[in-house]
Amino acid sequence: MPAMPASRLEDEAACARLCIDFANHLDARRYERVLGLFTEDAALDRMGNVSQGRAEIARFLAGRPVQTTTRHVCSNIRVSFEGEPEGEAGGVCYVLFFQGADDADGGAPRLSGPPSVVEYHDRFRRTPDGWKIHSRRICMAIRA
């Protein structure tokens, strides 16, 4: 397999970073930063529940329960440019998902059940502000 040009490696790293930033900002409830990862006309499909555009994604984020803590652990991030139009890429990422109920005593949240594994199926687009998520489809891979 021939070596990838440096600019392509930088593009791949930027797209992979979107996966990690999404998980970190979502878990920390930095919702403005989550929104900034998406194109204006992005789609977020959470197992059939589709939010179209940043405004709808913002409504989904605002509706997340405040008494629940989540952790999304991303791995096996794969970004592909083959067969894609210029300035676009595809991607897939495995995500180990943990959810916990906040502890009334202020301690660490208690796990609400066993973790699940989901997959992010992404379409990335280069914008004047850098690479952004144009669409994300979240699919259950292994149910708790």
Side-chain angles (χ1 to χ4, degrees):
M1 183 172 184
M4 244 192 271
S7 62
R8 184 51 50 123
L9 289 173
E10 291 167 353
D11 291 342
E12 183 177 335
C15 292
R17 178 70 187 255
L18 291 168
C19 294
I20 295 164
D21 286 350
F22 176 86
N24 289 342
H25 294 321
L26 185 67
D27 291 340
R29 298 182 182 282
R30 293 186 295 259
Y31 296 148
E32 286 300 318
R33 288 190 174 183
V34 171
L35 291 172
L37 302 174
F38 288 90
T39 61
E40 288 293 334
D41 60 344
L44 176 61
D45 179 345
R46 300 170 336 277
M47 292 175 263
N49 296 311
V50 180
S51 300
Q52 186 66 51
R54 280 190 184 170
E56 283 190 26
I57 296 170
R59 280 193 286 282
F60 153 68
L61 294 170
R64 293 183 76 224
V66 295
Q67 67 279 13
T68 301
T69 297
T70 60
R71 290 297 180 266
H72 296 76
V73 182
C74 301
S75 70
N76 298 52
I77 301 171
R78 178 112 173 115
V79 177
S80 175
F81 299 91
E82 288 183 28
E84 301 294 339
E86 183 65 30
E88 294 189 16
V92 66
C93 173
Y94 298 165
V95 180
L96 185 57
F97 172 72
F98 297 89
Q99 185 169 303
D102 289 350
D103 187 90
D105 298 330
R110 298 196 182 277
L111 203 56
S112 300
S116 299
V117 179
V118 298
E119 294 176 0
Y120 294 161
H121 294 265
D122 294 323
R123 308 283 317 134
F124 303 108
R125 183 170 285 165
R126 185 192 317 268
T127 74
D129 296 322
W131 285 93
K132 302 283 184 184
I133 301 168
H134 181 62
S135 70
R136 167 160 286 172
R137 185 170 47 92
I138 302 172
C139 303
M140 183 63 67
I142 301 174
R143 192 178 313 268

